[in-house]
Amino acid sequence: MSGSHRAASHRRSAPAPASRSEVEQTQGRAASRRRKPKPRRAAKLTVGTATLLALTAGWFTVGPGRDFQGETASAAPDREPEVAPMKAADAHTGAPAADRSTRDRITAIPGLGASWTAKIPAETRQVLVASGKGKDSSDNTVTLWTRGDDGGWQAGQSWPAHNAYKGWTADHRSGDLRSPIGLFSLTDAGGRKADPGSKLPYDENAKFVMGGRGFNNEPLAGSFDYVVAINYNRVVGSSPLDGRFPDGAAKGGGIWLHLDHGGPTHGCISLTEDHMVELIKTLDPAMHPMIAMGDADSLAA
């Protein structure tokens, strides 16, 4: 803030000659005033030192990214990862914004091998990637990628999720307790609860009911409150409740994205309710959404 001040002027009568003691006192005060700059220099040194310590302690940081751990229903909430402090020399040496956008454009989804990338249709602009921790693990991380008009891919948030109890397989069979590895379209949604704002066709139906207990003895009730059908061995464009299996019952079916119940699934991918609602609201049939799912090594091949 700034302000203006007016100095008041006062007339004074001519001073009487100063006595010897007054002169000595005046000289003493003058000497005292001449010693005052020393504490001011110390103050400047203190401020400069504080600034240096602040820089060393990393007070100046870059904006947040995303990081997750322990992809289970009991995992800690999403939190920001630590980012290396910005060096002072970098503050004024960055490339222009246009140059950075061109340089940083992602033309292939990280973690997806060339064979997977080649399978993504040109009209598909939303790809949900469910990347498993291991071939026999029931934990995975789900990330929704969106392709822009320039052909570059942009990642959305990453969410912890569960898959089948025994992990993954490229040759899924009914009852094998493994999730199928593959690239599948996403066209239909539904659930026991009312449509939360789905762009996909949504079937609200009381038949979306699951009972009993899971592999960790957790209750399964409410798991099908919101679902998105994964188009593995099913009739595309029908309700997720449609029980027809075009490739035969032996190949299994009923593979969905649904609510997480705190443990492995029989073959589906499960997310917490808030993430399922966000996903259902985001998937857009005009963008021809698909899911690439499997363990990380299989997806990278």
Side-chain angles (χ1 to χ4, degrees):
M1 298 178 63
S2 64
S4 60
H5 302 276
R6 298 182 57 188
S9 62
H10 302 278
R11 294 184 178 177
R12 305 188 182 198
S13 59
S19 65
R20 179 180 180 83
S21 61
E22 291 173 337
V23 171
E24 290 174 348
Q25 291 174 3
T26 302
Q27 290 174 343
R29 285 193 298 270
S32 174
R33 284 196 297 271
R34 284 197 296 273
R35 287 194 295 270
K36 290 183 179 178
K38 184 175 181 180
R40 285 200 297 272
R41 286 195 299 270
K44 291 181 180 178
L45 178 58
T46 302
V47 172
T49 303
T51 303
L52 178 59
L53 290 175
L55 288 169
T56 305
W59 288 2
F60 301 94
T61 57
V62 189
R66 301 296 309 177
D67 186 27
F68 300 90
Q69 48 179 287
E71 292 88 357
T72 66
S74 59
D78 301 347
R79 60 184 178 86
E80 306 296 334
E82 296 179 358
V83 183
M86 179 186 295
K87 295 180 181 178
D90 296 337
H92 303 290
T93 58
D99 293 343
R100 285 199 301 271
S101 65
T102 301
R103 181 190 63 202
D104 297 338
R105 185 167 62 92
I106 301 174
T107 56
I109 297 175
L112 284 187
S115 61
W116 288 84
T117 301
K119 294 175 185 177
I120 300 175
E123 65 270 18
T124 293
R125 299 180 64 177
Q126 287 180 327
V127 174
L128 191 68
V129 177
S131 180
K133 280 188 171 180
K135 192 68 175 287
D136 300 322
S137 173
S138 62
D139 295 327
N140 70 85
T141 300
V142 169
T143 307
L144 180 62
W145 290 82
T146 303
R147 179 155 51 185
D149 293 337
D150 63 353
W153 290 95
Q154 181 177 359
Q157 294 186 23
S158 293
W159 301 319
H162 278 117
N163 50 271
Y165 178 71
K166 293 185 177 181
W168 302 90
T169 179
D171 185 23
H172 178 64
R173 298 286 171 172
S174 178
D176 66 6
L177 297 181
R178 291 186 180 272
S179 297
I181 298 172
L183 180 68
F184 309 105
S185 59
L186 303 171
T187 57
D188 304 283
R192 186 179 63 86
K193 289 187 176 181
D195 183 352
S198 175
K199 298 180 181 68
L200 300 176
Y202 186 92
D203 179 22
E204 179 185 354
N205 199 311
K207 293 182 180 179
F208 283 102
V209 175
M210 182 61 146
R213 291 188 171 271
F215 295 103
N216 293 336
N217 199 36
E218 75 277 15
L220 302 179
S223 299
F224 299 159
D225 283 353
Y226 297 112
V227 310
V228 174
I230 296 172
N231 288 338
Y232 168 85
N233 195 21
R234 69 177 298 269
V235 178
V236 176
S238 63
S239 166
L241 292 171
D242 190 322
R244 291 175 289 173
F245 304 118
D247 297 327
K251 292 289 291 180
I255 307 297
W256 297 345
L257 290 149
H258 64 67
L259 300 192
D260 193 273
H261 42 73
T265 71
H266 283 74
C268 300
I269 306 295
S270 62
L271 296 165
T272 59
E273 182 168 355
D274 55 338
H275 295 155
M276 270 299 298
V277 169
E278 184 175 348
L279 180 64
I280 288 176
K281 290 180 177 180
T282 304
L283 292 176
D284 187 346
M287 302 181 80
H288 304 279
M290 303 192 78
I291 182 171
M293 51 191 282
D295 60 285
D297 289 343
S298 295
L299 292 179

